[in-house]
Amino acid sequence: LGMAPPAALLALGLCLSVSHGSFLVPLRIFSGGHNFSLALASDPTGAVNFLDMVDNLRGDSGRGYYIEMSIGTPGQKMNILVDTGSSNFAVAAAPHPFITHFFNTALSTSYRSAGRPVAVRYTQGNWEGELGVDLVSMPTGPNGTVPINIAAILSSDGFFLPDIHWQGILGLAYPLLARPDSSVTPFFDSLVRQLGIPDVFSLQRLAAWMSCDPQMDWICVCVCSQIMGGTEPTLHRGPVWYTPIVEEWYYQVEVLKLEVGDQNLDLDCREYNTDKAIVDSGTTLLRLPVPVFNALVDAITRSSLIQDFSAGFWDGSKLACWMKGETPWRFFPKLSIYLRATNTSESFRITILPQLYIQQITDLDGTLDCFRFGVSSSVNGLVIGATVMEGFYVVFDRAQRRLGFALSTCAASGGLPLSEIAGPFSAADVASNCSGGVLKAPVLWVLSYALIAVCALVLVVLCFFLC
């Protein structure tokens, strides 16, 4: 599944010392100043009040963004990680050294165990537990308390990590990804059916070096929001550009090409979509198939003004450090992703500036600022994760089977935007179906089981004749 608990990425290796003699760039921190005069955009049913949902997320891209939820009777308050790359709603139901509290099913009079085991494995980390049903409400979400399928996490490995502030995960993808099977209705599907809210949600998050948690040391200069049931126009600038959802399991989209600066990587568009291209809020980095990643690193290396970078910086094993207060961002190119538009003969381009993919992580001895590369290679498809999403207000319009991108009001530094959107562009020179021939994992499982059954039948027949 798509979600990778991002705190592990902070445990990076040795710091790469990079010459900074003539490459001195003062760090400018965005100091805010937005006037959040929010429009009251509510659903006529009264179940949705977007004003109540603004600033309902806490956390940061390094440890994940979470929302407060109340589970059981009486309600037990839990912080739940938001993840669009999985479909189970799961919460710790046993003690763990890295979490402060857990959901005690014995104290909830409304909890009912389904008696079914469940296990989920993510890109990093996994957990096991049992399925149940209980009442759930969201203090900063749609009005109402509804029965929801819950996976009670009883054991885990690499899932809960040090310094996190959440105790569970809210999978917002489609039923096809639910475990142990698609009969387990995901949280948002239940919310739409039982409360009658529109089948749309949207997310606004911050750049890696910002935070939406007042308890953390980093300055909180903007709001982080998950709007359930629609979109809030004050959280974005300009229009929303939409791309079709190719398959309803992950939020799979169709990537047509990538550019480094003005340089097209010039790969077959099917390379970008092997074995899928998805938008996943639970993945920290922009993840690219190996051939695409290698081509992108080569292009950045050629266009960057900084020479002799260690390979360890590109593969994530090392950090690059400059004297405190200096930044390397002006010496790196923009990165652009072209997505198929809803008018399939056209595309649009989402662009992130280096501040989003050359990410400031920590300081060293109070004298150096250290940065990581916010892009990694992937063996299971292209993932548009937090590195890109933090530049945009992202709309998951499930009702019309499309994903939207608009410029986030928070994607700025020193008053300058960190992201761009442009289009439409003609897609006449691109294949009509760049994601064609890609099989979803469940389909592969079915084919595998069918082949096993055929082999078993052949063995039975052979044994019969041998006997």
Side-chain angles (χ1 to χ4, degrees):
L1 299 184
M3 179 272 182
L9 294 172
L10 297 176
L12 294 174
L14 297 175
C15 180
L16 170 63
S17 176
V18 178
S19 173
H20 46 71
S22 59
F23 303 122
L24 307 181
V25 184
L27 175 64
R28 296 190 292 177
I29 298 294
F30 176 48
S31 58
H34 279 290
N35 177 20
F36 291 106
S37 53
L38 298 174
L40 182 59
S42 300
D43 175 57
T45 64
V48 180
N49 184 335
F50 297 156
L51 184 62
D52 292 341
M53 300 184 207
V54 171
D55 198 22
N56 60 359
L57 294 181
R58 291 290 177 263
D60 61 87
S61 66
R63 298 175 179 87
Y65 291 93
Y66 53 85
I67 190 168
E68 183 182 81
M69 305 182 77
S70 178
I71 307 173
T73 308
Q76 300 176 42
K77 290 186 177 181
M78 314 290 291
N79 292 332
I80 307 297
L81 184 74
V82 174
D83 177 33
T84 64
S86 64
S87 297
N88 283 84
F89 176 41
V91 62
H96 190 282
F98 296 148
I99 61 175
T100 56
H101 60 287
F102 62 93
F103 174 53
N104 192 331
T105 58
L107 297 181
S108 174
T109 59
S110 53
Y111 177 78
R112 299 291 181 268
S113 173
R116 296 178 65 191
V118 59
V120 174
R121 180 175 296 277
Y122 301 89
T123 303
Q124 180 174 331
N126 61 83
W127 53 257
E128 297 181 359
E130 69 169 17
L131 289 175
V133 177
D134 209 340
L135 299 177
V136 177
S137 64
M138 305 177 71
T140 54
N143 297 325
T145 301
V146 294
I148 296 291
N149 289 311
I150 297 176
I153 300 175
L154 302 177
S155 63
S156 63
D157 180 23
F159 180 71
F160 298 112
L161 298 167
D163 299 321
I164 60 170
H165 297 267
W166 43 268
Q167 300 85 40
I169 184 170
L170 175 58
L172 292 168
Y174 290 98
L176 195 59
L177 291 186
R179 298 293 180 264
D181 55 58
S182 58
S183 68
V184 179
T185 305
F187 174 88
F188 191 69
D189 294 71
S190 295
L191 223 57
V192 170
R193 293 175 188 174
Q194 297 183 59
L195 295 182
I197 66 173
D199 196 7
V200 182
F201 67 89
S202 50
L203 290 170
Q204 182 194 55
R205 309 193 309 174
L206 299 186
W209 40 270
M210 298 179 181
S211 169
C212 260
D213 194 337
Q215 297 179 350
M216 295 183 183
D217 295 332
W218 301 325
I219 186 170
C220 185
V221 298
C222 257
V223 297
C224 298
S225 307
Q226 176 175 338
I227 307 298
M228 289 195 169
T231 63
E232 170 49 58
T234 60
L235 298 180
H236 67 86
R237 294 179 286 109
V240 180
W241 293 77
Y242 287 96
T243 184
I245 295 175
V246 176
E247 293 287 349
E248 294 175 319
W249 56 323
Y250 296 97
Y251 291 97
Q252 183 178 344
V253 295
E254 190 176 5
V255 175
L256 303 190
K257 66 178 179 178
L258 265 66
E259 287 180 348
V260 174
D262 296 326
Q263 178 184 350
N264 183 357
L265 292 189
D266 203 24
L267 299 174
D268 187 310
C269 68
R270 285 168 292 195
E271 295 273 14
Y272 303 122
N273 298 277
T274 304
D275 59 352
K276 59 186 175 294
I278 65 173
V279 178
D280 177 12
S281 68
T283 294
T284 307
L285 307 181
L286 168 62
R287 305 186 70 224
L288 303 175
V290 174
V292 180
F293 176 79
N294 291 337
L296 180 130
V297 169
D298 288 343
I300 294 177
T301 303
R302 288 194 301 270
S303 59
S304 171
L305 299 179
I306 302 174
Q307 303 299 319
D308 302 324
F309 252 70
S310 166
F313 177 72
W314 306 116
D315 66 23
S317 63
K318 296 182 180 180
L319 300 178
C321 299
W322 278 259
M323 293 300 296
K324 195 166 184 62
E326 302 166 6
T327 67
W329 295 323
R330 64 180 294 185
F331 302 107
F332 287 88
K334 301 175 183 178
L335 301 184
S336 298
I337 301 173
Y338 285 75
L339 297 169
R340 176 98 56 192
T342 49
N343 178 347
T344 57
S345 64
E346 296 178 339
S347 67
F348 65 93
R349 178 180 69 212
I350 58 175
T351 299
I352 58 172
L353 271 66
Q355 287 89 330
L356 292 178
Y357 75 89
I358 304 295
Q359 300 171 345
Q360 186 174 346
I361 295 300
T362 185
D363 63 15
L364 185 67
D365 299 329
T367 60
L368 296 174
D369 284 328
C370 297
F371 300 78
R372 74 174 174 196
F373 188 42
V375 187
S376 70
S377 61
S378 167
V379 295
N380 55 3
L382 185 151
V383 184
I384 298 175
T387 293
V388 176
M389 292 181 69
E390 286 163 354
F392 303 93
Y393 180 61
V394 185
V395 179
F396 295 78
D397 186 351
R398 296 151 50 105
Q400 299 191 56
R401 194 168 170 166
R402 60 183 187 171
L403 254 60
F405 291 83
L407 296 176
S408 169
T409 54
C410 282
S413 176
L416 300 176
L418 301 180
S419 56
E420 302 169 357
I421 296 184
F425 304 103
S426 172
D429 60 336
V430 183
S432 60
N433 186 3
C434 295
S435 57
V438 177
L439 292 177
K440 300 192 293 290
V443 175
L444 294 175
W445 295 337
V446 171
L447 291 175
S448 299
Y449 292 141
L451 289 173
I452 291 172
V454 171
C455 292
L457 181 62
V458 170
L459 286 173
V460 169
V461 173
L462 289 176
C463 289
F464 173 80
F465 282 111
L466 286 173
C467 291

